[in-house]
């Protein structure tokens, strides 16, 4: 039953940009895929394992920079850069989280925020990667190997869809496996988890590695799609926050949460930008902030929690009428 | 002579200037039910934490099946077959009863289906089958305590340390908990070390009782010996046991 819902979502997402060929819409779909996937990746460490990261832009930026620098300096295919970026992000995440995992709760969250800002500053003052100026990716002819497509947005969409599919399936298989149970146990009670024979640090590190590697993949796609990156863009707090907010809005610790959250936030922010232009900047986040306040006050489990409750009520009613 | 299953030797735990446990030694043999009693602040839970790896003792050693486990991480001690429950229950709230037990079962299971099998068995033993799809956070206190036991049971332990598994239960629930303890011990061969305040509940099921007061061991013996021990009565049983037994008499 639950599987059917997921495959329905996959099918709907895949068909939409072919049904509605408007370029703006296709752009929104690509951004939706990127951010839904970012939310899914983030959900692994924060939703499942309960370790709030406010610094996932760091891994997104590392992914973007790795492939871009390799292509810009050495002409290496972004596909190679994408995989390398994922690897580097995983390594960085371990170096950063190993000491930070001593901290619990809010302190860990603050530490991730600080670390992401430090990494951003490093890139701002790093001349080899053009510092604050950023890098314009050299434009070449349409090519799969160079991951550049100028005639149509559809190839970007398909790559985005492939990543989205991959990441959702990874998150889902984690959720159903021993690792998913262990991560949730750690989230619910560190001590209880230990008494059940779980090594919390090992599983948290593993979750962090997977989460950051997946996040980095999307950094590469984003860079190739926009064809320009600078530290303020890819390492921005705004990206970290968007990932957090859309997942919280949709529902934490659930693979549907980030999809629902991204389906609301991304069209909102992209269309306010299109219709209101420069003056509209930030309106999406204002609306979004209001939604988050409402969710936090009335349904901390996010929209998915709301749906579940309604489902239960209807189920109960159904049971009553049948009895 | 066979080696004891668990041996605590001269355990001392200090928090700053406060000595919570002072030079406590005792042992538990395979198949026994041993109770650890004493007034609040006697250092019972401290001893539990030292044995299960949640504290590193200031001095002294802990041996489990002859192996030195002093200062090992709790998860390592659990995987060796010694596990514990918590006085303040720690249900994995956002997970169902069955998922709670499954989490424990994964320690010995190599696949999800094997874990499911273990979990179903545990659900039956602990009479939680009917509530398997209920979120652990919404259980009653009695069921939460039961789940606490069920969950560690799924790790297939040789020995469980129960920290006040019966506190706050009514008489029927206490009786059920006693039966569960006896069943685990007799049918499943699990050695039990129990910290408890409810004397009526543990005196009948314990092979031996160890009494702590102000961090030190003041007595050890069979339940009969303990209830007649002058020092124990003075330190602890005096007010509580007599008061409680009077109450129960009145109720009868």
């Amino acid at each position: 039953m639950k599987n059917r819902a997921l495959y329905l979502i996959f099918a709907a997402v895949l068909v939409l940009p072919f049904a509605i060929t408007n370029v703006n819409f296709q752009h929104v779909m690509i951004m939706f895929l990127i951010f839904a996937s970012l939310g899914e990746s983030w959900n692994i460490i924060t939703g499942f394992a309960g370790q709030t990261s406010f610094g996932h832009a760091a891994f997104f930026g590392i992914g973007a920079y790795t492939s871009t620098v390799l292509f810009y300096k050495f002409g290496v295919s972004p596909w190679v850069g994408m995989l390398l970026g994922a690897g580097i992000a995983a390594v960085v995440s371990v170096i950063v989280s190993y000491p930070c995992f001593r901290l619990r709760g809010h302190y860990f969250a603050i530490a991730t925020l600080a670390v992401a800002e430090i990494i951003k500053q490093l890139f701002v003052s790093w001349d080899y990667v053009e510092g604050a100026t950023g890098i314009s990716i050299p434009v070449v002819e349409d090519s799969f190997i160079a991951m550049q497509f100028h005639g149509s947005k559809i190839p970007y969409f398909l790559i985005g869809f492939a990543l989205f599919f991959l990441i959702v399936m990874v998150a889902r298989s984690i959720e159903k496996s021993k690792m998913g149970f262990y991560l949730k146990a750690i989230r619910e009670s560190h001590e209880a988890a230990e008494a059940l024979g779980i090594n919390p640090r090992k599983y948290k590190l593993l979750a962090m590695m997977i989460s950051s590697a997946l996040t980095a993949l999307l950094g590469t796609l984003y860079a190739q799609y926009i064809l320009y990156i600078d530290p303020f863009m890819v390492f921005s707090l705004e990206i970290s926050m968007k990932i957090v907010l859309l997942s919280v809005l949709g529902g934490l610790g659930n693979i549907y949460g980030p999809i629902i959250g991204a389906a609301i936030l991304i069209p909102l922010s992209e269309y306010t930008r299109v219709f209101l232009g420069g003056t509209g900047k930030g309106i999406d986040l204002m609306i979004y902030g209001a939604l988050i306040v409402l969710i936090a006050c009335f349904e901390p489990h996010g929209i998915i929690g709301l749906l579940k409750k309604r489902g239960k009520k209807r189920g109960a009613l159904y049971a009553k009428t049948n009895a | 002579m066979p080696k004891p299953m668990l041996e605590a030797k001269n355990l001392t735990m200090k928090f700053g200037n406060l000595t919570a446990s002072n030079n406590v030694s005792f042992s538990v043999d395979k198949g026994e039910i041993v109770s650890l009693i004493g007034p609040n602040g006697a250092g019972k839970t401290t001893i539990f934490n030292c044995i299960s790896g949640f504290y590193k003792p200031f001095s002294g050693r802990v041996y489990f099946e002859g192996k030195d486990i002093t200062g090992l991480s709790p998860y390592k001690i659990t995987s060796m077959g010694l596990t514990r429950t918590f006085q303040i229950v720690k249900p994995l709230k956002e997970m169902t009863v069955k998922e709670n037990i499954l989490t424990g079962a994964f320690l010995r299971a190599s696949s999800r289906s094997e874990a499911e099998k273990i979990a179903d068995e545990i659900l039956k033993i602990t009479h939680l089958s009917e509530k398997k799809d209920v979120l652990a956070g919404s259980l009653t206190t009695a069921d939460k305590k039961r789940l606490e036991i069920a969950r560690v049971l799924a790790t297939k332990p040789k020995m469980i340390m129960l920290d006040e598994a019966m506190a706050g239960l009514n008489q029927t629930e206490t009786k059920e908990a006693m039966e569960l303890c006896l069943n685990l011990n007799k049918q499943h061969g699990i050695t039990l070390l129990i910290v408890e305040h409810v004397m009526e509940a543990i005196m009948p099921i314990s092979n031996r009782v160890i009494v702590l007061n102000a961090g030190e061991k003041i007595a050890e013996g069979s339940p009969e010996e303990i209830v007649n021990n002058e020092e124990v009565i003075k330190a602890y049983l005096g007010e509580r046991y007599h008061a409680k037994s009077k109450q129960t008499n009145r109720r009868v």
Side-chain angles (χ1 to χ4, degrees), chain A residues 30-217:
Chain A
I30 293 168
M31 295 310 278
F32 159 77
L33 286 175
I34 290 177
F35 276 92
S37 311
L38 285 172
E40 291 288 340
S41 312
W42 178 83
N43 202 24
I44 293 171
I45 185 68
T46 304
F48 293 168
Q51 310 299 310
T52 308
S53 163
F54 286 153
H56 257 50
F59 309 119
F60 182 74
I62 286 172
Y65 263 94
T66 307
S67 60
T68 301
V69 169
L70 283 176
F71 184 70
Y72 173 68
K73 298 265 183 191
F74 311 106
V76 177
S77 161
W79 290 102
V80 177
M82 186 184 243
L83 293 178
L84 261 173
I88 294 174
V91 171
V92 170
S93 79
V94 170
I95 296 170
V96 167
S97 338
Y98 193 79
C100 289
F101 276 145
R102 287 180 165 274
L103 306 170
R104 301 252 183 103
H106 306 312
Y107 296 103
F108 176 77
I110 292 166
T112 58
L113 187 72
V115 167
E117 284 300 298
I118 289 168
I119 292 178
K120 176 169 101 187
Q121 288 307 321
L122 282 178
F123 275 83
V124 168
S125 43
W126 190 1
D127 287 336
Y128 183 73
V129 300
E130 310 295 346
T133 329
I135 302 173
S136 287
I137 297 176
V139 174
V140 297
E141 270 181 38
D142 279 23
S143 139
F144 181 75
I145 299 202
M147 215 192 282
Q148 285 192 24
F149 313 94
H150 308 289
S152 157
K153 287 185 188 298
I154 290 292
Y156 286 116
F157 170 79
L158 290 176
I159 296 170
F161 182 80
L163 289 177
F164 173 69
F165 183 79
L166 169 85
I167 291 170
V168 171
M169 290 320 256
V170 167
R172 207 173 93 98
S173 59
I174 288 176
E175 191 181 27
K176 293 200 156 188
S177 69
K178 170 175 170 169
M179 183 173 173
F181 281 86
Y182 276 18
L183 293 179
K184 285 183 181 175
I186 293 166
R187 174 189 74 195
E188 297 295 320
S189 164
H190 216 269
E191 285 83 13
E194 285 185 280
L196 294 178
I198 299 167
N199 179 349
R201 180 173 275 195
K202 176 182 147 189
Y203 279 95
K204 283 194 288 189
L205 279 175
L206 202 58
M208 192 65 172
M209 278 172 71
I210 296 173
S211 171
S212 49
L214 295 176
T215 303
L217 297 177

Side-chain angles (χ1 to χ4, degrees), chain A residues 176 178 181-182 184-185 187-189 191-192 194-199 301, chain B residues 54 74-75 78 83 86 90 92-94 99 102-103 106-107 112 151 155:
Chain A
K176 293 200 156 188
K178 170 175 170 169
F181 281 86
Y182 276 18
K184 285 183 181 175
R187 174 189 74 195
E188 297 295 320
S189 164
E191 285 83 13
E194 285 185 280
L196 294 178
I198 299 167
N199 179 349
H301 292 293
Chain B
F54 283 88
Y75 72 89
T78 297
T83 187
F86 294 91
K90 300 183 188 298
L92 310 175
K93 285 186 208 154
E94 301 277 316
E99 285 169 347
L102 262 175
T103 307
F106 274 115
L107 183 65
R112 169 91 188 239
R151 204 173 53 202
T155 67

